[in-house]
Amino acid sequence: MLVDSPPEQRAEAAPAPPSKRRVLRAAGLPVALAVLVCVALASIAIGAKDLSLAQVWHGLFHDSDTYGDVVVGERLSRTVLGLLAGAALGLAGAVLQALTRNPLADPGLLGINAGASAAVVTGITFFGVTSLSGYVWFAFAGAAGVGALVWFLGGSRGATPVRLVLAGTAISAALFGYLQAVMIMDDAALGRMRFWTVGSLASATTGTIREVLPFFVTGTFLALALARPLNAMEMGDDTAKALGANLNRTRALSMLAATVLCGAATAACGPIVFVGLMIPHIVRSFTGPDMRWILPYAAILSPVLLLGADVLGRIVARPSELQVGIVTAVLGGPVFIFLVRRRRTAQL
């Protein structure tokens, strides 16, 4: 015999009204921005070299020879790059998760990181590239080339989420084999690549930021503009067509946005894992499936994770530092396992 619960319990168990949920989501954005500002300030104030807040302030605003080089030349540049790269990885991950309809997808799923890494190894080994500015353009070209190849192998105008994932996985495996073969045969390439391949913000300069900034801006605007058509696509192809969405155009533009964003971030910082996977997945848990909210939250909270991991890497290994790619991998592994297990439990 079923016993109906009291009205008070039913009221408590009922979900929040849509209007209240919208208010909460809107109120959360300023809070997320405040957290981002605090983490960015911590990234400027905390480093491998001990400086007081007064010294940081003096170096930041008075450009003294003693502290200006450390605060402005190093910490401020890596903080700005961390903000840009974090937002790019978060947006790219959110777009790819919507495109593939897989909440555990990330930019590496379609081979973009592998393409950038393989291109940089090629530049070092066969073209003698040694500067970071050279790495940037090779990495971006590799990411863009793999993105286009995945699109065509996945069926081009007839591309589907499954085909895109299969094409990306196959290309990633092939490029990983090429990458390892070249690095084993060329000791010089191995020595120059070992720091870039783990992902780091330590080599950030104003020149690097200027070179990749147009790609960050272009990819960000494109990703945000795709929020509505991606919402339609997540309902299924038939429903999206009924709502008037152009599936082929949306998939092509989504691939382009993810490639530009992830390519620029990888070119400037090296391949950084888990940021594009964790943050969009976590954001979806409190915003719901609406991409109009997922994308802004992902763009704000992903830099929080990236800069927070960078600060942590500087603290735990003083007077040296751990590259941010290592820290995000250590933090992201357990989180990824938890997300997979929770998703599996929910499906049972």
Side-chain angles (χ1 to χ4, degrees):
M1 179 177 179
L2 297 177
V3 179
D4 193 12
S5 60
E8 297 81 16
Q9 293 182 10
R10 293 200 304 268
E12 292 175 358
S19 58
K20 184 178 179 180
R21 189 173 188 176
R22 284 195 296 268
V23 171
L24 292 175
R25 288 184 300 195
L29 282 175
V31 175
L33 281 171
V35 173
L36 178 59
V37 170
C38 292
V39 173
L41 292 176
S43 177
I44 296 174
I46 300 173
K49 182 177 181 180
D50 285 324
L51 293 178
S52 66
L53 292 179
Q55 291 170 334
V56 171
W57 180 271
H58 192 73
L60 189 61
F61 293 101
H62 298 282
D63 195 24
S64 70
D65 294 335
T66 305
Y67 309 119
D69 290 340
V70 174
V71 177
V72 177
E74 297 179 11
R75 295 185 187 177
L76 184 60
S77 295
R78 73 189 293 169
T79 300
V80 172
L81 183 58
L83 291 170
L84 295 173
L89 292 172
L91 287 171
V95 169
L96 290 177
Q97 288 176 12
L99 176 64
T100 61
R101 298 179 198 145
N102 181 356
L104 297 179
D106 75 329
L109 186 67
L110 298 185
I112 296 173
N113 286 344
S117 299
V120 171
V121 169
T122 300
I124 291 174
T125 304
F126 300 107
F127 296 95
V129 178
T130 58
S131 66
L132 183 62
S133 60
Y135 294 169
V136 167
W137 292 106
F138 270 91
F140 187 79
V146 168
L149 184 59
V150 168
W151 173 249
F152 285 112
L153 291 180
S156 187
R157 295 181 62 85
T160 63
V162 174
R163 289 181 180 179
L164 291 174
V165 170
L166 290 175
T169 302
I171 292 173
S172 295
L175 290 178
F176 181 77
Y178 166 78
L179 181 69
Q180 296 302 310
V182 172
M183 292 179 67
I184 289 174
M185 292 187 297
D186 189 342
D187 292 338
L190 177 61
R192 289 193 291 268
M193 281 292 297
R194 58 179 178 164
F195 292 110
W196 187 86
T197 53
V198 298
S200 175
L201 299 175
S203 300
T205 64
T206 54
T208 302
I209 294 172
R210 282 196 299 267
E211 288 180 356
V212 297
L213 183 60
F215 301 107
F216 284 131
V217 173
T218 302
T220 298
F221 277 109
L222 183 56
L224 294 176
L226 289 170
R228 288 184 181 274
L230 285 174
N231 276 343
M233 285 187 59
E234 284 196 324
M235 300 179 186
D237 290 355
D238 293 337
T239 303
K241 289 178 181 178
L243 293 174
N246 188 321
L247 299 183
N248 291 325
R249 182 177 63 188
T250 301
R251 285 175 180 143
L253 292 177
S254 297
M255 280 291 300
L256 177 61
T259 298
V260 170
L261 288 168
C262 186
T266 304
C269 309
I272 297 176
V273 297
F274 287 118
V275 175
L277 183 152
M278 286 192 295
I279 296 301
H281 189 86
I282 293 172
V283 164
R284 189 178 287 104
S285 67
F286 62 84
T287 64
D290 193 341
M291 295 296 292
R292 294 173 297 178
W293 290 102
I294 292 175
L295 291 173
Y297 269 104
I300 294 172
L301 294 180
S302 295
V304 172
L305 173 61
L306 188 61
L307 288 177
D310 189 45
V311 172
L312 182 62
R314 286 182 254 172
I315 293 174
V316 299
R318 282 182 173 178
S320 183
E321 66 177 69
L322 286 176
Q323 281 78 13
V324 67
I326 297 175
V327 179
T328 57
V330 171
L331 296 176
V335 173
F336 178 73
I337 294 172
F338 169 75
L339 295 176
V340 171
R341 289 182 60 85
R342 189 179 69 170
R343 178 172 171 81
R344 181 181 178 184
T345 302
Q347 291 175 343
L348 293 177

